Amino acid sequence: MAKDTTRRSFIKAGFAAGAGLAAGQASAAGDPLITETQDWNQQLGFGVDERPYGIPSEFQKHVKRRSVPWLTADPISSINFTPLHELDGIITPNGLCFERHHGGAAEYDPASHRLMINGLVDEELVFTMEDIMRFPRENHVYFLECAANTGMEWRGAQLNGCQFTHGMIHNVMYTGIPLRLILKEAGVKADGKWLLAEGADASGMTRSIPMEKALDDCLVAFKMNGEALRPEQGYPLRLVVPGWEGNMWIKWLRRLEVGDQPWHHREETSKYTDLLEDGNARRFTWVMDAKSVITNPSPQAPITHGPGPTVLTGVAWSGHGTIPQVDVTIDGGKNWHKARISGPSLDKSMHRFYYEFDWDGSELLLQSRAHDSTGYVQPTKDELRAIRGTNSIYHNNGIQTWYVNKEGVAENVEIS
Ligand code: MTE
Ligand code: CO
């Protein structure tokens, strides 16, 4: 079904589509949108002082974070989702990054924010934001995926849209200080093997992080995509823990304690653990395994143009490295095709893939399968369930299927 979509075939198809529309409508040459002067050609646009901080076009109002009201008891300790089906490339715009707060989004004055280091250090220290800004900075693009992303799908296809099934992820360029420089300043004692990171928000979130990771690639970040962190993302300071589950990326970071063992706090015992088939719970599943999802077509982004050249696109990521390959199928796995990855291929960052095909108007079963730089291949949901059972919530990186009917309408389904 897939065939080479050369430039010539696109142009031919374009005319064919125009001709198809011609029944009762203007042909391309007689289109009044081209031949007549329109209202908006006759009035001046708005001036440069109108929007000192830019906002998207009013025709983009549907591009927004959405929540699922029944998922949580109230909107304060809740979650909303990134509209993946409306995005392209690899960077998530700041205003569309999903939010997960356990005690609401706090807004702090950076002038009174402090970061303290205590515990097994040579010298306990307190930094102001000004102190933090005097350390050497680094820029890195990383994905943040909540461990609960796709968590509603363990027992079967449930939420109808990649925004809801896969939208607990964002991919941002952070500017920050390597955590190791801050730890070095305080001097970690020889038995300092663990780090507790604590947030200043009402939830007082805490997580234990092994010292090896803290000294490796963690950042204390203050900028996202070039501008200050948004309050929703932990302004003025957040921990960046590349490739590891989002819960560890403590927002509104106020304290780092060095210890000789993990603290076993709430978020690493009763939450963010994986109940296995045999009833035991697995702790400390830190790294987010390779995963991908087709964002278009998908339930919120049906095919509206009818048969002909069709662009399939999606995103893939791995907490273990880069994504050298993504396979896609449009017939439920009978034939797999190598997708085209376009854009930067960065370590622990989202990758964008495309697969162009000529849709013949028949039903489709769309799937994508990511391979990461360690050779690991994204598993099917059934392969995951064989190990994990169906009582899990977290760390579901199974292959997603969208069914597309002859009208181009897509639906979340499972095939086995
Ligand atoms: N840090 C604090 N202080 N409070 C929180 O509620 N939520 C965590 C983590 N860090 C949280 C926090 C969870 S579960 C996730 S998935 C990420 O932040 C979400 O980051 P985001 O809101 O930038 O998407
Ligand atoms: Co989370």
Side-chain angles (χ1 to χ4, degrees):
M1 188 187 300
K3 79 176 191 206
D4 185 30
T5 43
T6 60
R7 182 172 174 156
R8 198 164 153 262
S9 69
F10 272 119
I11 293 169
K12 270 200 332 225
F15 282 132
L21 278 174
Q25 288 186 38
S27 71
D31 186 341
L33 286 170
I34 292 170
T35 57
E36 307 292 320
T37 308
Q38 304 295 321
D39 277 358
W40 56 86
N41 302 142
Q42 300 177 60
Q43 62 199 25
L44 296 172
F46 57 82
V48 294
D49 295 330
E50 189 91 2
R51 293 183 185 176
Y53 192 97
I55 52 167
S57 157
E58 64 173 299
F59 299 102
Q60 292 291 306
K61 283 210 168 106
H62 56 286
V63 181
K64 59 182 181 184
R65 301 185 281 221
R66 289 184 177 83
S67 59
V68 175
W70 54 260
L71 264 186
T72 50
D74 68 73
I76 302 292
S77 178
S78 194
I79 180 110
N80 62 22
F81 301 88
T82 304
L84 292 175
H85 61 294
E86 298 285 359
L87 302 181
D88 218 314
I90 64 163
I91 296 293
T92 316
N94 289 346
L96 294 175
C97 288
F98 86 95
E99 302 167 58
R100 174 73 178 106
H101 330 294
H102 294 69
E107 188 142 32
Y108 296 118
D109 179 353
S112 45
H113 189 75
R114 299 288 181 269
L115 175 64
M116 166 175 156
I117 302 190
N118 68 329
L120 301 176
V121 289
D122 297 335
E123 193 183 356
E124 298 190 331
L125 294 172
V126 175
F127 299 103
T128 64
M129 284 303 290
E130 216 166 51
D131 297 333
I132 297 281
M133 306 302 247
R134 294 174 66 193
F135 283 92
R137 299 168 201 180
E138 287 187 10
N139 294 300
H140 295 276
V141 180
Y142 293 124
F143 76 84
L144 179 165
E145 184 184 17
C146 179
N149 199 20
T150 323
M152 295 299 111
E153 306 292 310
W154 274 106
R155 292 176 192 203
Q158 177 154 248
L159 295 168
N160 224 17
C162 66
Q163 179 166 18
F164 306 111
T165 55
H166 290 74
M168 288 190 208
I169 186 163
H170 48 64
N171 200 60
V172 160
M173 175 175 282
Y174 295 95
T175 306
I177 316 302
L179 179 56
R180 93 180 77 85
L181 296 186
I182 291 174
L183 291 170
K184 202 171 148 211
E185 192 74 10
V188 174
K189 289 200 189 313
D191 51 350
K193 297 289 178 227
W194 288 81
L195 188 68
L196 186 79
E198 181 184 80
D201 56 325
S203 79
M205 271 233 352
T206 43
R207 280 295 300 253
S208 308
I209 297 166
M211 189 56 72
E212 226 176 21
K213 179 70 173 174
L215 295 175
D216 180 16
D217 55 1
C218 291
L219 296 175
V220 173
F222 46 84
K223 295 257 157 96
M224 58 191 291
N225 295 328
E227 63 176 5
L229 292 173
R230 292 285 168 92
E232 301 94 305
Q233 267 67 46
Y235 177 83
L237 211 55
R238 104 171 290 168
L239 193 62
V240 168
V241 190
W244 289 26
E245 60 183 11
N247 185 258
M248 305 176 86
W249 297 47
I250 300 297
K251 302 193 274 190
W252 310 289
L253 183 68
R254 76 163 169 207
R255 193 169 69 91
L256 297 165
E257 182 178 340
V258 178
D260 57 359
Q261 52 191 341
W263 280 259
H264 304 291
H265 282 180
R266 174 183 182 270
E267 306 292 319
E268 50 207 22
T269 51
S270 94
K271 304 289 176 195
Y272 302 100
T273 49
D274 300 318
L275 188 59
L276 302 178
E277 184 80 308
D278 64 7
N280 283 315
R282 184 173 71 187
R283 277 183 315 166
F284 298 153
T285 314
W286 296 310
V287 185
M288 300 306 289
D289 281 331
K291 187 165 167 180
S292 68
V293 66
I294 293 170
T295 55
N296 309 75
S298 65
Q300 296 160 286
I303 305 175
T304 52
H305 55 61
T310 300
V311 174
L312 178 156
T313 186
V315 284
W317 61 92
S318 167
H320 290 281
T322 58
I323 300 287
Q325 185 180 331
V326 179
D327 309 319
V328 300
T329 174
I330 60 175
D331 54 18
K334 289 194 196 97
N335 300 285
W336 288 93
H337 316 274
K338 237 188 214 181
R340 192 166 55 83
I341 294 175
S342 175
S345 171
L346 301 169
D347 192 36
K348 305 179 182 88
S349 163
M350 226 181 226
H351 292 58
R352 168 65 57 178
F353 65 86
Y354 298 96
Y355 175 67
E356 292 84 10
F357 68 103
D358 220 341
W359 184 37
D360 64 4
S362 62
E363 294 171 312
L364 304 171
L365 284 168
L366 309 178
Q367 295 181 327
S368 62
R369 183 173 66 193
H371 301 239
D372 76 15
S373 44
T374 68
Y376 172 93
V377 182
Q378 185 183 358
T380 64
K381 286 197 195 176
D382 283 340
E383 282 167 347
L384 274 183
R385 286 187 193 116
I387 302 163
R388 304 270 305 275
T390 52
N391 279 325
S392 278
I393 299 173
Y394 307 107
H395 305 107
N396 181 350
N397 68 325
I399 290 174
Q400 173 67 43
T401 312
W402 307 124
Y403 162 74
V404 181
N405 74 13
K406 291 177 178 163
E407 279 73 52
V409 175
E411 201 186 316
N412 181 5
V413 298
E414 274 194 30
I415 48 177
S416 47

